[in-house]
């Protein structure tokens, strides 16, 4: 039952009627009330009946994308600190890409909506109108439209555009990343001290000796003395335990190309075969009380003691150290030698436990150690303030020569880098005096068998060498190899101190300092999708405009009022009969009602209608 208050239309004589506020109806022709072009404002006409709005929105999308491309191209590879805006770069790209995404939707949605009017320029089912309207709302609906019209290329292009629009914003934002990179700093911020020449001021030192007197000599500076002791006492005889030289690295991250410096190198060898044995009263060498001496010490006596006397029993010395004094003609090793020292020891302390005073079966071993001038080539890196230095080359075979100069006698040699390295000869003598008299001397009394709790030595060197030779650590080297490992510590420690020694001409090796900075990195590959989105949308718009003109259909796009008013009365009657039919039969009837676009009249006064096809 119909109520007058709720009835909008009444049909009388086949004509629709319009209800007036007073309650009466009058007949009207729907086509007669189509909005007249002449009545609309100019702006409305421009937006409703032309493509001006779509072109302006597409232009806005293009400008937005160009802004993104220009900005990221300018700042690509630049430190983030050069971005001075209060708005972060990622936020800017997010905002501008959203503007582009929103703007480009307008021409694409309008073009898809316009496809339905192009579709109806020929006889088509009225039910085809709904899929076109839904397709303009998103990629899923536009893909569904492909299933209905798979052969129409404009439908495919519309689906591609809606998908690209969905990806425009995320891909534009993904194009920019902010990685950490090393930034090189100004020269002079990475310097490593080296020594090309060295001259030490003399200072006197006095040491007590066993006979109650004193031993007076000129010596090296305290820094080098401490370095020698530190090298001997480095736990575990591990060269890596000696801290490297720390230069200037203002950022805490520096790299240095290979550089060379005057240094100290060590060596050790077995000279047991050269031992001179002297046993009293013609005793055989297997008896205690024999003295052992190496030939070099006969020619250049030691500062402290000249021989090693074997002892039976548990209280005798098991290791002895002696170092030769500088001779006028230099050392057998040459003028570059700072010290030659000798270590004589029982190779098997355990055998002494069963020996009697007149039957010594343990073998006496003699080693010769040397500290010599050399040139070391280093490679240094500083990472997060931690310095790591590797020695890439030890030039130990240089021909050191002593010659008179305006500065006195100088020991010098030319290294592989063609640089001349030198040391004052009197400074060499200071090294020898300290290393011979105050370092490499003494005896070790470890007990028979060796008692770790006794471990008595008359010098740091005697204790350190005994630990290196007799170590109980199964993973550590011992004997000659243990001595070589220990001397490697000594040479590293003293070489580092030599590079840092004052009172001499200073020199530095320059490196490159860098700091970790945030950089702007752009992957332009991610911008391909946004660019394609803008390009394809314009192509799609142009093709739809072309088809609209070619098929001679109005530019109605998604105008719902145009759709309602364009349906002629006879077609409207058919459609009203189908309203409310939701079953399959109703949908079939919608597909059976076919309409086509037709224009009544000529020129601007003509009216477009959706006319039922017969």
């Amino acid at each position: 039952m119909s109520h007058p208050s709720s009835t909008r239309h009444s049909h009388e004589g086949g004509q629709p009627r319009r209800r007036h506020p007073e309650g009466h109806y009058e007949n009207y022709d729907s086509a007669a009330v189509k909005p007249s072009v002449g009545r609309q404002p100019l702006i409305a006409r421009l937006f409703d009946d032309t493509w001006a709005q779509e072109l302006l929105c597409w232009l806005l999308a293009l400008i937005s994308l160009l802004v993104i491309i220009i900005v990221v191209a300018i700042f690509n590879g630049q430190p983030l600190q050069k971005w001075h805006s209060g708005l972060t770069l990622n936020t800017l790209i997010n905002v501008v890409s959203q503007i582009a995404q929103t703007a480009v939707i307008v021409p694409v949605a309008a073009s898809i909506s316009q496809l339905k009017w192009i579709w109806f320029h020929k006889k088509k089912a009225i039910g085809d109108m709904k899929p076109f309207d839904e397709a303009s709302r998103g990629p899923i609906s536009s893909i569904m439209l492909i299933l209905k019209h798979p052969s129409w290329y404009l439908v495919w292009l519309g689906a591609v555009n809606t998908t690209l629009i969905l990806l425009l914003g995320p891909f534009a934002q993904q194009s920019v990343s902010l990685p950490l990179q090393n930034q090189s700093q100004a020269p002079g911020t990475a310097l490593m001290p080296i020594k090309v020449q060295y001259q030490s001021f003399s200072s006197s030192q006095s040491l007590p000796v066993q006979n109650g007197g004193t031993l007076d000599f000129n010596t090296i500076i305290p820094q080098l003395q401490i370095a020698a002791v530190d090298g001997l006492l480095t736990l575990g005889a591990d060269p890596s335990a000696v801290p490297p030289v720390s230069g200037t690295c203002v950022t805490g991250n520096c790299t240095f190309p290979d550089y060379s410096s005057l240094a100290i190198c060590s060596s050790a060898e077995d000279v047991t075969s050269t031992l001179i044995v002297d046993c009293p009263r013609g005793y055989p060498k297997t008896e205690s009380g024999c003295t052992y001496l190496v030939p070099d010490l006969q020619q250049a006596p030691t500062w402290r003691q000249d021989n090693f006397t074997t002892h039976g029993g548990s209280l005798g010395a098991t290791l002895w150290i002696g170092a030769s004094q500088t001779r006028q003609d230099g050392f057998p090793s040459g003028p570059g030698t700072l010290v030659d020292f000798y270590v004589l020891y029982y190779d098997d302390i355990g055998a002494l436990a069963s020996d009697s005073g007149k039957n010594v079966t343990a073998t006496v071993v003699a080693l010769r150690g040397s500290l010599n001038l050399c040139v070391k080539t280093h490679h240094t890196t500083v990472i997060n303030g931690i310095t790591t230095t590797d020695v890439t080359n030890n030039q130990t075979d240089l021909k050191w020569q002593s010659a008179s100069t305006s500065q006195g006698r100088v020991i010098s040699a030319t290294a592989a880098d063609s640089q001349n390295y030198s040391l004052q000869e009197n400074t060499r003598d200071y090294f020898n005096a300290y290393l011979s008299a105050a370092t490499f001397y003494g005896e070790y009394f470890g007990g028979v068998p060796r008692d770790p709790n006794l471990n008595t030595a008359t010098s740091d060197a005697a204790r350190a060498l005994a630990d290196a030779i007799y170590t109980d650590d199964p993973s550590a080297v011992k004997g000659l190899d243990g001595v070589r490992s220990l001397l490697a510590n000594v040479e590293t420690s003293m070489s580092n101190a030599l590079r840092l020694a004052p009172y001499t001409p200073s020199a530095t090796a320059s490196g490159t300092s860098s700091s970790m900075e945030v950089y702007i990195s752009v992957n332009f590959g991610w911008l391909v999708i946004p660019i394609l989105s803008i390009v394809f949308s314009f192509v799609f718009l142009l093709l739809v405009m072309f088809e609209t003109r070619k098929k001679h259909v109005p530019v109605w796009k998604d105008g719902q009022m145009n759709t309602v008013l364009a349906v002629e009365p006879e077609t409207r009657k058919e459609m009203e009969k189908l309203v409310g039919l939701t079953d399959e039969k109703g949908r079939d009837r919608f597909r059976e009602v076919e309409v086509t676009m037709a224009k009544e009249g000529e020129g601007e006064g003509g009216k477009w209608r959706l006319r039922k096809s017969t």
Side-chain angles (χ1 to χ4, degrees):
M1 180 176 180
S2 302
H3 297 279
S5 60
S6 61
T7 302
R8 287 184 174 273
H9 296 86
S10 174
H11 296 274
E12 182 179 316
Q15 294 292 328
R17 297 189 301 167
R18 178 173 56 199
R19 184 182 181 187
H20 280 263
E22 291 82 359
H24 65 274
Y25 294 84
E26 68 177 20
N27 296 333
Y28 76 98
D29 183 356
S30 61
V33 297
K34 178 183 181 298
S36 171
V37 174
R39 299 174 193 167
Q40 292 179 305
L42 179 61
I43 298 298
R45 288 176 54 193
L46 190 64
F47 283 169
D48 290 344
D49 299 332
T50 68
W51 296 97
Q53 178 179 347
E54 288 71 24
L55 289 172
L56 288 175
C57 287
W58 179 86
L59 184 61
L60 176 60
L62 175 64
I63 293 174
S64 300
L65 181 60
L66 289 176
V67 168
I68 293 176
I69 294 175
I70 292 173
V71 169
V72 298
I74 291 174
F75 287 94
N76 183 30
Q78 298 295 322
L80 184 60
Q81 62 182 4
K82 290 190 175 181
W83 178 263
H84 300 298
S85 173
L87 194 67
T88 66
L89 180 59
N90 285 336
T91 301
L92 176 67
I93 294 176
N94 183 29
V95 171
V96 178
S97 64
Q98 287 299 319
I99 294 174
Q101 194 173 31
T102 303
V104 79
I105 287 175
V106 176
V108 172
S111 298
I112 293 176
S113 296
Q114 181 64 18
L115 291 180
K116 67 176 177 286
W117 305 117
I118 300 174
W119 180 254
F120 285 111
H121 88 283
K122 290 184 178 180
K123 182 173 64 174
K124 304 293 180 182
I126 189 67
D128 289 348
M129 186 172 294
K130 182 179 180 182
F132 282 101
D133 285 335
E134 292 178 344
S136 64
R137 299 169 189 169
I140 296 179
S141 299
S142 63
I143 293 174
M144 297 300 296
L145 185 61
I146 293 177
L147 300 178
K148 296 180 180 295
H149 308 289
S151 60
W152 196 10
Y153 77 98
L154 287 178
V155 171
W156 283 89
L157 192 56
V160 170
N161 271 281
T162 53
T163 304
L164 290 176
I165 291 173
L166 189 66
L167 300 175
L168 188 153
F171 272 63
Q173 297 172 45
Q174 189 65 30
S175 65
V176 175
S177 60
L178 303 174
L180 287 172
Q181 295 182 10
N182 277 328
Q183 172 65 29
S184 297
Q185 302 297 320
T189 55
L191 300 173
M192 193 60 61
I194 62 174
K195 273 292 182 291
V196 175
Q197 53 181 308
Y198 179 62
Q199 177 181 5
S200 174
F201 293 103
S202 64
S203 60
S204 60
Q205 187 169 352
S206 181
L207 295 174
V209 292
Q210 291 180 350
N211 60 11
T214 59
L215 183 63
D216 300 319
F217 54 90
N218 291 327
T219 186
I220 53 178
I221 61 176
Q223 293 92 322
L224 288 168
Q225 296 179 22
I226 294 172
V229 176
D230 285 346
L232 286 171
L233 300 183
T234 299
L235 188 62
D238 182 5
S240 64
V242 179
V245 174
S246 297
T248 300
C249 181
V250 296
T251 62
N253 293 279
C254 298
T255 57
F256 294 85
D258 287 0
Y259 59 92
S260 298
S261 177
L262 184 65
I264 297 172
C265 292
S266 64
S267 64
E269 59 182 329
D270 190 320
V271 293
T272 304
S273 61
T274 67
L275 280 176
I276 300 173
V277 183
D278 181 19
C279 295
R281 297 183 297 277
Y283 288 174
K285 288 189 292 185
T286 57
E287 290 194 27
S288 63
C290 297
T291 59
Y292 291 77
L293 188 66
V294 292
D296 288 346
L297 295 184
Q298 280 189 321
Q299 301 174 26
T302 62
W303 285 89
R304 300 256 185 160
Q305 182 176 330
D306 293 335
N307 53 50
F308 172 52
T309 302
T310 60
H311 297 275
S314 61
L315 298 178
T318 55
L319 180 145
W320 171 89
I321 308 171
S324 59
Q325 305 176 33
T326 304
R327 298 203 310 268
Q328 293 298 322
D329 56 347
F331 292 104
S333 303
T337 299
L338 301 180
V339 66
D340 279 334
F341 67 92
Y342 297 84
V343 183
L344 278 67
Y345 65 94
Y346 287 115
D347 66 337
D348 186 2
I349 297 181
L352 294 177
S354 59
D355 287 347
S356 65
K358 294 186 178 182
N359 184 26
V360 180
T361 60
T363 302
V364 175
V365 177
L367 304 179
R368 180 173 69 184
S370 296
L371 294 180
N372 306 283
L373 291 176
C374 66
V375 173
K376 289 178 178 285
T377 303
H378 307 80
H379 180 78
T380 300
T381 58
V382 182
I383 300 177
N384 296 328
I386 299 176
T387 302
T388 302
T389 297
D390 297 318
V391 177
T392 60
N393 186 28
N394 279 332
Q395 299 182 53
T396 58
D397 56 350
L398 299 179
K399 296 181 179 179
W400 295 94
Q401 297 179 347
S402 179
S404 296
T405 67
S406 59
Q407 298 177 348
R409 294 194 64 84
V410 173
I411 300 171
S412 64
T414 302
D417 58 0
S418 300
Q419 176 67 53
N420 186 267
Y421 295 87
S422 64
L423 179 78
Q424 291 288 330
E425 189 173 276
N426 57 2
T427 302
R428 190 275 311 269
D429 295 339
Y430 303 155
F431 270 103
N432 174 254
Y434 176 78
L435 295 173
S436 297
T439 306
F440 293 106
Y441 75 94
E443 294 175 306
Y444 171 76
F445 303 87
V448 180
R450 185 169 183 249
D451 183 359
N453 295 321
L454 180 59
N455 198 24
T456 301
T458 59
S459 68
D460 291 331
R463 179 179 294 105
L465 286 166
D467 289 341
I469 292 172
Y470 297 129
T471 178
D472 297 323
D473 185 354
S475 63
V477 295
K478 59 175 58 179
L480 176 60
D481 290 334
V483 172
R484 287 171 175 166
S485 180
L486 179 64
L487 291 182
N489 280 351
V490 176
E491 72 170 68
T492 301
S493 181
M494 294 193 70
S495 293
N496 291 347
L498 180 62
R499 288 169 54 187
L500 297 171
Y503 317 127
T504 60
S506 60
T508 55
S510 298
T512 302
S513 65
S514 60
S515 59
M516 298 299 292
E517 292 189 23
V518 179
Y519 269 70
I520 299 171
S521 178
V522 181
N523 186 343
F524 288 95
W526 288 102
L527 293 176
V528 171
I529 293 299
I531 293 173
L532 290 178
S533 176
I534 302 301
V535 173
F536 279 20
S537 64
F538 186 63
V539 172
F540 184 45
L541 178 60
L542 290 180
L543 290 174
V544 172
M545 293 170 63
F546 174 77
E547 288 293 324
T548 299
R549 186 176 182 85
K550 179 181 177 181
K551 299 298 189 299
H552 302 289
V553 294
V555 184
W556 283 357
K557 295 172 282 190
D558 57 350
Q560 297 295 326
M561 184 62 69
N562 291 336
T563 305
V564 174
L565 298 181
V567 180
E568 64 177 7
E570 184 179 351
T571 305
R572 189 186 302 276
K573 291 179 182 180
E574 288 291 332
M575 294 177 64
E576 288 176 347
K577 293 177 183 179
L578 302 176
V579 173
L581 297 178
T582 59
D583 56 5
E584 186 65 29
K585 180 179 178 180
R587 288 191 289 271
D588 291 341
R589 290 289 294 129
F590 261 107
R591 287 191 285 268
E592 292 174 1
V593 178
E594 295 183 332
V595 296
T596 185
M597 292 290 295
K599 188 176 183 180
E600 295 180 352
E602 300 294 335
E604 293 185 2
K607 299 180 179 59
W608 286 94
R609 291 184 181 277
L610 277 174
R611 180 178 297 166
K612 181 181 178 182
S613 301
T614 56

